Amino acid sequence: MTALHTTGQFPVRALGGPTALFDYGGLRFLTDPTFDGPGDYGPPGRTLTKTAPATTAPAGLGPIDVVLLSHDEHPDNLDTSGRALLADVPLTLTTPGGGQRLGEKAKGLADWESIELHRPDGGTVTVTGVPAIHGPGAREEVEPVTGQVVGFILTGEGLPTVYVSGDNASLDAVERIAERFAPVDTAILFAGAPRFPMLFDGALIVLDSAQAAGATQILGARRVVPVHYDSWAHFTEGHDELEAAFTAAGLADRLDWGRRA
């Protein structure tokens, strides 16, 4: 059974890895689509090992209106099945570089750049690109190694404020986002504490569990749906570490867990 998060707002289905599905403002959104089976992916020396399949196949998702793609250059965020799915989706929002690589249905969002999407029942959903840094240090030092990443803020009249972090390791970036958008109603936080010995001397390239709790405090997030902490061997922290970190920070009630069969 797919993880289903429903705390006081809209359901978010966590499908494994960075992939989540949710309806918002009458539109259906999917984050970082990864549906290939377990196995090794990527070039020698940078091989990533997927350890578990997604809980739902693309055919079981229903029509998707928008893909929120934090970046297109790593197979644990966009794999072969995910790329095939993009062809059937009207709009993919991603990094400026990804917008150029992925073709006419993709649009890149720079920091604080927004797009308005028409809601089926009238009105609009505004999606704003927000900063994300895929490693330690300044963006200009990190991006040549791990590439561009973008996060997203979703807003709309009468709708909750939603933050999708993407593969971000920077709490400074979270603070800049909070200055403009806090408090956040739902934060879909990419966590998992991934590390690679050959990258940045093994430093974090996405938030660890304690940092995810810190991001929750910075954002004033009322609900946190963690993703990007399971199904891949390079994630060094999982469900238990997240639960422990949020409990230690007095934020356990913010976590929105579902059950997987």
Side-chain angles (χ1 to χ4, degrees):
M1 185 174 71
T2 299
L4 181 63
H5 307 271
T6 55
T7 303
Q9 303 188 49
F10 55 93
V12 179
R13 293 171 60 191
L15 306 180
T19 309
L21 178 71
F22 61 93
D23 292 329
Y24 177 87
L27 300 171
R28 178 161 287 188
F29 291 84
L30 182 72
T31 68
D32 289 24
T34 54
F35 295 98
D36 290 350
D40 293 336
Y41 296 92
R46 287 202 174 187
T47 300
L48 305 178
T49 300
K50 189 170 188 178
T51 58
T55 60
T56 300
L61 300 175
I64 304 298
D65 296 297
V66 184
V67 167
L68 302 176
L69 177 59
S70 73
H71 58 303
D72 68 307
E73 297 177 283
H74 298 154
D76 59 329
N77 294 86
L78 181 67
D79 60 14
T80 300
S81 299
R83 287 180 186 274
L85 179 147
L86 296 186
D88 297 324
V89 176
L91 177 64
T92 295
L93 298 176
T94 189
T95 63
Q100 295 176 350
R101 286 185 291 269
L102 294 173
E104 61 182 16
K105 289 185 175 182
K107 175 176 174 53
L109 294 178
D111 289 356
W112 318 121
E113 182 180 2
S114 295
I115 182 172
E116 290 193 348
L117 310 177
H118 293 290
R119 298 169 59 178
D121 57 353
T124 58
V125 168
T126 299
V127 182
T128 302
V130 294
I133 303 175
H134 200 0
R139 178 180 261 173
E140 58 269 20
E141 298 169 351
V142 170
E143 286 188 351
V145 179
T146 51
Q148 288 182 329
V149 179
V150 64
F152 305 95
I153 289 281
L154 282 65
T155 55
E157 184 176 355
L159 296 174
T161 298
V162 178
Y163 170 52
V164 180
S165 73
D167 275 12
N168 174 58
S170 171
L171 289 181
D172 288 341
V174 174
E175 289 177 354
R176 292 169 60 199
I177 295 162
E179 288 171 0
R180 298 185 183 224
F181 292 103
V184 167
D185 294 286
T186 293
I188 300 176
L189 289 184
F190 289 39
R195 303 174 186 268
F196 295 93
M198 75 290 291
L199 294 178
F200 311 110
D201 295 324
L204 291 166
I205 61 171
V206 180
L207 299 178
D208 67 12
S209 301
Q211 289 173 325
T216 301
Q217 293 173 319
I218 292 167
L219 294 163
R222 298 182 176 96
R223 171 173 71 150
V224 173
V225 181
V227 297
H228 195 271
Y229 66 87
D230 63 0
S231 304
W232 290 88
H234 58 283
F235 297 159
T236 67
E237 297 182 7
H239 179 285
D240 291 349
E241 289 85 358
L242 279 161
E243 192 166 56
F246 274 71
T247 298
L251 299 170
D253 62 335
R254 311 289 177 92
L255 279 174
D256 194 353
W257 297 111
R259 294 187 181 276
R260 296 176 186 271

